Amino acid sequence: MRISIFGLGYVGAVCAGCLSARGHEVVGVDVSQTKIDLINNGKSPIVEPGLEELLQQGVKTGRLRGTTDVAGAVLETQVSFICVGTPSKKNGDLSLDYIEGVCREIGFALRDKAERHTVVVRSTVLPGTVKDVVIPIIEDCSGKKAGVDFGVAVNPEFLRESTAIKDYDFPPMTVIGELDSASGDLLETLYRELDAPVIRKPIEVAEMIKYTCNVWHAAKVTFANEIGNIAKAVGVDGREVMDVVCQDHKLNLSKYYMRPGFAFGGSCLPKDVRALNYRATSLDVESPLIGSLMRSNAGQVQKAFDIIAGHDKRKVALLGLSFKAGTDDLRESPLVELAEMLIGKGFDLSIFDRNVEYARVHGANKDYIESKIPHVSSLLDSNFDAVIDKADIIVLGNRDELFAPLAQKAPAGKQVIDLVGFMPKATHGNAEGICW
């Protein structure tokens, strides 16, 4: 494939070397003549193990060259990768000056090109940037229509400095955000030989995936550091602790907990978060990430309440009261907290939970239900259909499969609010998700 790469910094130079090594014809474009001269002499403009050898090979075989001629690069290639920097502004926002400049130049070059061209953004940009900034600029400067006259895609990179070539050759996944299927098809051909899944999503999803991965990495480093600091203060080597934690791929490194939805609860997580945070405070060990967990969790309960209250309807059916399906455990259930907020604000609330209903009559939690939350348990109704029929708003509170059909097709005239992820797609019509 004939590829032009705009921006020969870290990402652009690595991509140029790796793509040319895989047999593609690559034209590197940069405003810096120094970088262009380095590339054309088989020298690396950055320090990265193994990159210079790839660049030398590319130049020697004639598959790689550098230029400052934007128009020529666009006209000679099928696809352009935008790899320019997106530095931070003082307020934390991204500066899109380089992105905007490159898009203008590519757009003007496309005016004179009859062959379909695909523009791929590899630079890290916030969700909405491609549709709100990139596409309008290219359309305005080219006089052409995105998705019709030229293709657009996002292809976030997951390259780590010092291991970038290995990361390129052995990625955990390849993410393609596509405006049109033809652009996605073209990009996928570049990655078919890699032993990794190719994941195709809408453009905004791909943009968000990149940020989510990076912030998650930052959160993991911060979490490990805070655990290490607390461990040291109590005479434990935090490295031993985290080494064992990372060996659990079933829960600790899985998607079981890593899905958006409602707040956590139960007899373990809230208690243990508070206890560890208390111990850290008593030892004068700062742990702001761990210290923020309960506050963030409470915010998710408030968010659910705000969504319900925002519909200006008073009759609410809460499906599920235990903190998760398949249990009657109400200890620190965020659904109990949500129910109490609704009661306190005067909502006409009915609750269905077959496990809690059983426990109220037979289970070990009978005393807890009668003594701790009688005002909530008095609203339990064992007639599922009756609870649904009299409600204007139906809240899916836990993952009892009995509730799933309501997310697939909301009853006529009723608003469904999904806190757990039953909905097959994002908020639409009279079905709304808490995080989707």
Side-chain angles (χ1 to χ4, degrees), residues 51-65:
L51 178 58
E52 192 151 296
E53 290 80 357
L54 292 184
L55 296 176
Q56 288 175 353
Q57 177 186 352
V59 172
K60 184 177 180 179
T61 58
R63 291 195 294 264
L64 172 63
R65 67 180 180 86

Side-chain angles (χ1 to χ4, degrees), residues 1 17-26 57 61 63 193:
M1 191 178 298
C18 291
L19 286 168
S20 63
R22 292 181 176 276
H24 301 286
E25 297 178 29
V26 179
Q57 177 186 352
T61 58
R63 291 195 294 264
E193 61 193 61

Side-chain angles (χ1 to χ4, degrees), residues 264-283:
F264 61 77
S267 60
C268 296
L269 299 189
K271 172 180 68 69
D272 293 344
V273 169
R274 281 194 294 266
L276 187 61
N277 188 54
Y278 177 83
R279 175 55 62 89
T281 301
S282 68
L283 293 167

Side-chain angles (χ1 to χ4, degrees), residues 317-327 335 350-357 380-385 387-388 394-411 416-424 431:
L318 179 59
L319 305 186
L321 190 62
S322 60
F323 81 100
K324 68 177 182 178
T327 178
L335 291 170
S350 298
I351 305 171
F352 176 86
D353 189 315
R354 51 185 169 181
N355 292 311
V356 175
E357 180 65 30
L380 279 164
D381 190 331
S382 60
N383 190 325
F384 178 71
D385 292 332
V387 171
I388 298 299
I394 302 169
V395 181
L396 311 183
N398 66 29
R399 297 191 68 85
D400 188 326
E401 289 301 321
L402 180 64
F403 310 151
L406 295 168
Q408 306 290 331
K409 185 179 181 181
V416 170
I417 297 173
D418 182 7
L419 304 183
V420 293
F422 281 125
M423 293 168 59

